[in-house]
Amino acid sequence: MTLLEAVNRIFRLNAIIRGDNDPITSFSDVQHNASTQLAIIAVQDEIGDLVSDRLISNEKATATLSTVAGTRTYSLETDFVRFYGTPHFYLTSGNKQIYEYPGGLVQLQTDIFNYATVSGEPNWWYWEPSTAKKVGFYQVPDAAYTYSYDYERSVMVEVASDTMPFHNDEENYAFCQMAARRFKFMFEDVKGEADIQAILESDVSYRRARVRLIAFMRGQNPSRRYRAVYA
């Protein structure tokens, strides 16, 4: 399902378009332009919540980072959201992993005064404050090292042809039901005064759709046991 198809389904669920109305064919259609932009925001907000809760499973990616002698900091992939699993870099040639310096850059500055200049094979990494996701290495690399890392990539949708980050129609339809409820309350809140999230959390239709989506995305049957088992 594309973002355009998701928006059309949201419109049908909210009777913006009906059986005898043609679906929109682009996000520049004049007839439903305002509603279209609102529906896109509803979709993006719902995806953001799912990503924040670590519920979307097809965002895992692997990238490599090559160091340059004397260069301390490096930018991560442009679609980087966060590390997948325990944050680490894997040195392919040495078959070793390096982890974040305990306490990060603030602690490193306190522990090692010349952290930014002492060179050698890196033993730790840390977040470097920047306008983009960037890391620094301690020690500062003294040669070219190639590291790989697993991360969660951005699955946000923006243009009509973007594919929704779900595996099958069951997941797509459950998600659209959620987004349709968010759209409904945003659409009805003309003055922008309502607490949409609070309304959604008490909305039975929204909560049922979310539970259904999570159940589909698990890929396995839920546990039948709900109490402690003692051997």
Side-chain angles (χ1 to χ4, degrees):
M1 176 179 283
T2 64
L3 176 56
L4 177 63
E5 291 171 330
V7 168
N8 275 313
R9 187 172 181 86
I10 290 169
F11 282 173
R12 292 200 182 281
L13 287 169
N14 284 281
I16 301 296
I17 56 177
R18 300 177 183 274
D20 56 347
N21 296 128
D22 291 331
I24 62 171
T25 58
S26 75
F27 290 160
S28 59
D29 283 6
V30 177
Q31 185 177 4
H32 299 292
N33 187 262
S35 298
T36 296
Q37 299 307 312
L38 207 59
I40 293 172
I41 292 172
V43 168
Q44 292 172 337
D45 284 353
E46 287 300 326
I47 289 178
D49 281 350
L50 293 173
V51 170
S52 177
D53 292 338
R54 277 193 151 93
L55 293 174
I56 295 182
S57 61
N58 64 340
E59 56 192 348
K60 180 178 180 293
T62 300
T64 58
L65 183 155
S66 296
T67 66
V68 176
T71 300
R72 180 175 62 89
T73 62
Y74 300 85
S75 295
L76 301 179
E77 292 294 305
T78 55
D79 62 351
F80 181 98
V81 173
R82 58 192 167 197
F83 283 100
Y84 181 85
T86 301
H88 70 275
F89 290 91
Y90 173 66
L91 179 61
T92 308
S93 59
N95 191 30
K96 61 181 289 189
Q97 294 179 344
I98 61 173
Y99 299 92
E100 184 178 10
Y101 190 86
L105 178 58
V106 173
Q107 189 62 46
L108 180 61
Q109 289 175 320
T110 302
D111 295 343
I112 304 170
F113 301 155
N114 62 343
Y115 76 95
T117 57
V118 61
S119 65
E121 181 179 331
N123 297 314
W124 304 95
W125 70 269
Y126 53 88
W127 289 111
E128 176 71 14
S130 174
T131 56
K133 289 290 195 305
K134 182 176 286 191
V135 298
F137 287 105
Y138 175 75
Q139 305 174 85
V140 178
D142 61 350
Y145 300 97
T146 299
Y147 295 97
S148 63
Y149 60 97
D150 293 334
Y151 70 101
E152 296 178 17
R153 64 181 178 85
S154 173
V155 292
M156 189 55 66
V157 291
E158 296 180 356
V159 300
S161 59
D162 283 346
T163 301
M164 298 294 290
F166 303 104
H167 294 143
N168 49 55
D169 285 342
E170 286 82 358
E171 293 178 9
N172 281 313
Y173 295 162
F175 174 83
C176 285
Q177 180 67 46
M178 293 166 55
R181 298 302 290 176
R182 180 180 289 273
F183 171 84
K184 168 184 168 61
F185 299 124
M186 292 171 66
F187 185 81
E188 294 174 352
D189 182 28
V190 179
K191 296 183 179 180
E193 298 175 346
D195 185 343
I196 301 299
Q197 195 60 43
I199 295 173
L200 288 173
E201 289 174 2
S202 62
D203 183 67
V204 175
S205 295
Y206 175 84
R207 291 167 59 187
R208 286 180 61 87
R210 183 178 173 86
V211 169
R212 188 164 68 251
L213 175 61
I214 294 172
F216 287 142
M217 291 194 298
R218 282 175 57 87
Q220 62 188 46
N221 291 324
S223 173
R224 293 178 177 273
R225 298 178 178 177
Y226 298 95
R227 62 182 178 84
V229 177
Y230 301 94

